[in-house]
Amino acid sequence: QKWQPSVEPGKPIDLSEKKVRIGRIPFISLKKMMAQTVPLLGFLKKEMKVPEVRIVSSSKNYADVIDALARGSIDFAWVSAVTYLKRRDKDNLMPVAKTRFGETTSYRGVFVARADGKVQGLEDVKGNSIGFVDPDSASGYIYPLYLLKRLGINPHKDSRVAFLGNHHRVLRAVYAKKIDAGICLEETLASIKNPKARKQLIVLAKTPEIPSDIIVCRQDCPANLRESFLNALLKVKPQLTPGSLSFLPAKNEDFDKVAAIISYLEANPGKSR
C-alpha cells in the first residue's frame, strides 16, 4: 500500500519575510561541511527570494535534529533515511529531496581496523572494541549492525561499543588505538591521501549500498515553502559545491530497502550493555 501524508499542508506564507532554517548534524568536520554548504545556502536564498537560508548544526545527533523539526525550531531536516523512517509517522514527516554526489545517489560504510591491530576480520570484533557514529546513522551504525547480526555477531553483547559522533572521529580513534575497529564513510577513508598513513589501516568489509541522505519537512509545512525549497534544490548544479552535490525529488518508495533493514533489526534486538 502506497504511503500517503496524514496531515494537510499549512497555509501559504509570505516568502519575502521567511528565514529558512535547515537542521543538520556536523557528520563530518565542521570545516568540510561548511565548505559544502555555504555556496549552497547562498544559491537557495537567491532562488527562493527569501531573506536568509541557514544551516543549524548545533545538534549532536540525528534524533535532536528531528526533535527540532517536530517542535518547529527548523523548517527542514537534512538526515539519514533511517532517521526519517523511524520518526516519519510519530512526527508526521514527509520527504522533500534526496542528495546526489556526482552521478551516485548511494554510498557505503566501511569497517576499518589497524593493520597491526587485534581485529583482522569481522569475526574478531567479538571480544574487542568497535566505534560507531550515531545510533541513527545509516552508514555509521544501522547498516553495519545489520551486517554483523547477519553474521551472528551482536556487538552490544559480544564487544565494547562506543558512539563517537562523526565519521572523522571514528577514523582518528582507530588510528590512535582507542578502539580496535570502527565504521566510517567510504568517502572519509578515501580522504586519507598519505600512502604511509593509509597502509596502517585495513578494510574488513563494506556495507550494502545505502540511499544518500534526504531532506525532510513536517507534513504541515506550508505548501509554497516546500515547493519553493524543492524547486531551488533541483536547480543546484553539481559544480556549485565540493563533492558535486545536487538533488532529486524524494518519494517514500525510495526507502523500502532501508525500511526492511530496520524491520530486521527490530525483529532481532540486542540490548546495549
Side-chain angles (χ1 to χ4, degrees), residues 24 26-43 55 57 78 101 168 187 236-245:
R24 193 180 193 191
F27 73 106
I28 52 176
S29 70
L30 202 53
K31 184 179 176 184
K32 286 196 171 187
M33 192 174 97
M34 294 318 288
Q36 184 189 83
T37 52
V38 167
L40 173 65
L41 300 177
F43 178 84
I55 289 278
S57 62
W78 189 325
F101 292 90
H168 287 282
E187 176 193 348
V236 172
K237 303 289 186 200
Q239 56 268 33
L240 179 68
T241 66
S244 301
L245 174 67

Side-chain angles (χ1 to χ4, degrees), residues 25 53 93 124 131 137 143 178 202 262:
I25 66 164
V53 180
L93 308 178
D124 298 330
S137 170
Y143 273 66
K178 291 180 179 175
I202 54 172
I262 294 171

Side-chain angles (χ1 to χ4, degrees), residues 207-221:
T207 68
E209 289 197 349
I210 305 163
S212 292
D213 280 358
I214 58 175
I215 299 180
V216 305
C217 67
R218 294 178 1 176
Q219 292 173 24
D220 63 1
C221 175

Side-chain angles (χ1 to χ4, degrees), residues 64 69 73 75 117-118 201 209 228 238 253 259:
D64 285 349
L69 181 63
S73 302
D75 304 292
K118 293 185 281 185
L201 297 177
E209 289 197 349
S228 174
E253 303 88 87

